[in-house]
Amino acid sequence: MRKPFVAGNWKMNTDSLSSVSLAKAVADGVMELAGERLDVAVIPPFVYISAVVGTLSTTHIAVGAQDVYFERQGAFTGEISSSMLKDIGCAYVLCGHSERRHIIKEDDELINRKVSAAISGGLLPILCVGELIEQRKADETEQVVSNQLEKGLEGLSEEKLSAVTLAYEPVWAIGTGLTATPEQAQQVQSMMRELLSDMYDGQLADEIRILYGGSVKPDNAAVLMSQPDVDGLLVGGASLKSEDFIAIIKAAC
Ligand code: 13P
């Protein structure tokens, strides 16, 4: 059985006061559930990670980062390494989020290096994949997602793969209010699991958690989670409102 996992990606939102108050409100709302019934993580902007780690130190809510650089240290102005994130108490890191693929123009090779470096540095990467609306309309979803998955995981041993969580986030569903139907999410996510089974082995593929992300709200969380290959939710906008995020967490377990 895969333990459900709900993560809130705060993106470039909050400030020093609201990041701490949001984390505290989430902790108060799900204290008994987090770690027991499901895994919960919040993913603040880099600069608020330490404060949020401090706020959540007595809870079972994990903290993640939204990105990482693949080099360990050195002259890489502006970048943050996995060992730095680990050092300040991060457990997870997003790799290949669609906003980094499409706005910042990260490619699969760079994302693959980040996934690998994250694991080497002791972090648990959440590798995000997903198609654009044009690609879905052209019936290319399977091809695009498979390609992102194969390239994102290239060279990763079975042992390393077990540190990875996957997230299917169709780009057209992110921040648009257009959620994928539960059937659409299930179709892609079961295809992803089959591909993993071909790339590695069936048991490992069975153990990997695959999250769905894209306009997840309190009223669609349970039905998305009812799908056999939807093991959790990666929440953007709704994770910025504690009552919505708490409702989503409760619906997911
Ligand atoms: P929204 O929930 O705002 O659509 O964002 C999803 C997302 O990108 C999470 O990483």
Side-chain angles (χ1 to χ4, degrees):
M1 266 303 276
R2 297 180 291 268
K3 194 178 192 183
F5 179 21
V6 176
N9 174 10
W10 295 357
K11 306 192 179 182
M12 200 171 73
N13 293 294
T14 69
D15 56 26
S16 52
L17 285 179
S18 63
S19 56
V20 166
S21 58
L22 176 56
K24 194 168 175 344
V26 172
D28 288 345
V30 301
M31 197 71 101
E32 280 89 53
L33 301 175
E36 287 285 322
R37 303 266 303 275
L38 81 174
D39 290 332
V40 177
V42 294
I43 309 179
F46 283 128
V47 289
Y48 305 128
I49 289 173
S50 284
V52 169
V53 166
T55 304
L56 297 176
S57 62
T58 57
T59 75
H60 290 103
I61 301 177
V63 181
Q66 298 174 16
D67 187 33
V68 65
Y69 196 56
F70 62 84
E71 294 283 1
R72 288 160 60 93
Q73 61 176 56
F76 305 101
T77 302
E79 296 297 337
I80 308 276
S81 71
S82 48
S83 57
M84 291 173 181
L85 294 174
K86 181 86 184 157
D87 179 42
I88 59 165
C90 265
Y92 293 94
V93 62
L94 297 177
C95 295
H97 188 277
S98 81
E99 285 144 22
R100 297 207 62 85
R101 289 179 189 268
H102 298 291
I103 302 172
I104 318 289
K105 306 289 180 210
E106 288 193 5
D107 63 16
D108 286 304
E109 190 194 335
L110 176 61
I111 294 163
N112 174 246
R113 296 174 90 161
K114 290 183 173 191
V115 170
S116 188
I119 300 169
S120 303
L123 298 173
L124 303 167
I126 302 174
L127 172 63
C128 305
V129 298
E131 81 286 1
L132 297 162
I133 190 65
E134 307 85 90
Q135 294 166 329
R136 176 161 280 268
K137 284 185 175 157
D139 215 10
E140 292 168 2
T141 300
E142 187 164 326
Q143 185 192 322
V144 169
V145 170
S146 303
N147 195 42
Q148 289 173 339
L149 205 56
E150 280 170 351
K151 291 192 168 151
L153 299 176
E154 201 170 306
L156 238 62
S157 65
E158 289 189 3
E159 194 191 332
K160 282 192 165 180
L161 184 76
S162 60
V164 175
T165 298
L166 299 174
Y168 170 55
E169 297 206 304
V171 181
W172 48 271
I174 296 178
T176 58
L178 287 174
T179 319
T181 63
E183 294 74 24
Q184 285 172 325
Q186 170 58 23
Q187 190 182 21
V188 176
Q189 296 188 198
S190 70
M191 180 278 292
M192 290 167 68
R193 203 178 303 284
E194 260 171 51
L195 180 61
L196 282 178
S197 170
D198 293 343
M199 291 167 69
Y200 293 88
D201 72 69
Q203 194 191 330
L204 200 53
D206 232 29
E207 287 166 4
I208 297 282
R209 291 186 290 196
I210 309 179
L211 317 183
Y212 166 81
S215 298
V216 174
K217 303 281 181 262
D219 62 2
N220 59 27
V223 66
L224 286 160
M225 286 299 293
S226 71
Q227 300 299 310
D229 287 294
V230 177
D231 307 315
L233 302 164
L234 182 52
V235 187
S239 72
L240 295 169
K241 292 189 205 123
S242 57
E243 60 283 17
D244 283 2
F245 192 52
I246 290 165
I248 289 168
I249 291 167
K250 289 184 173 166
C253 64

